[in-house]
Amino acid sequence: MTTIEGLSETSSHPLQKAWVAEQVPQCGYCQSGQIMTAVTLLKKNPHPSRDEIVKHMDGNICRCGTYPGIIRAIQRAGKDMPAQTAAAMPASATVDASKGGAK
């Protein structure tokens, strides 16, 4: 199983960079789960619509309410991430909230 640290040793994964660029982090409590769930989505669909993002991320609670930033970060990462990066993300590294937990 890969944790968020396994995405990139230098925090240079496109999703991590988009998270910072969109100023998503607040308290940080949910960030690992949010990012790893988003990784699953982008692996399946590198260019999700807003509705697809909302549906996939449903169940991940952010007590700071940064949902608009989370959606923007996922959209940005989808635009910035080369297709080969998304395809190369290991399935074992992902958490799928829509399936109720880790894969």
Side-chain angles (χ1 to χ4, degrees):
M1 180 187 285
T2 304
T3 64
I4 191 168
E5 293 85 2
L7 290 178
S8 168
E9 290 182 14
T10 60
S11 298
S12 61
H13 185 280
L15 195 49
Q16 291 169 309
K17 290 167 65 174
W19 228 253
V20 173
E22 293 296 335
Q23 301 178 4
V24 175
Q26 295 285 319
C27 76
Y29 186 77
C30 71
Q31 299 307 295
S32 296
Q34 297 281 1
I35 290 173
M36 295 308 288
T37 301
V39 165
T40 303
L41 173 60
L42 292 176
K43 181 171 176 56
K44 293 177 185 176
N45 179 0
H47 304 289
S49 69
R50 183 188 186 289
D51 288 342
E52 290 168 326
I53 293 168
V54 169
K55 181 178 179 182
H56 187 84
M57 299 300 288
D58 185 41
N60 279 356
I61 298 171
C62 174
R63 63 185 182 187
C64 298
T66 65
Y67 300 112
I70 290 169
I71 293 167
R72 286 192 311 270
I74 295 169
Q75 290 171 326
R76 177 185 282 230
K79 291 176 188 167
D80 294 347
M81 188 180 328
Q84 65 271 23
T85 300
M89 290 188 280
S92 63
T94 61
V95 174
D96 189 343
S98 68
K99 302 291 187 223
K103 285 173 88 176

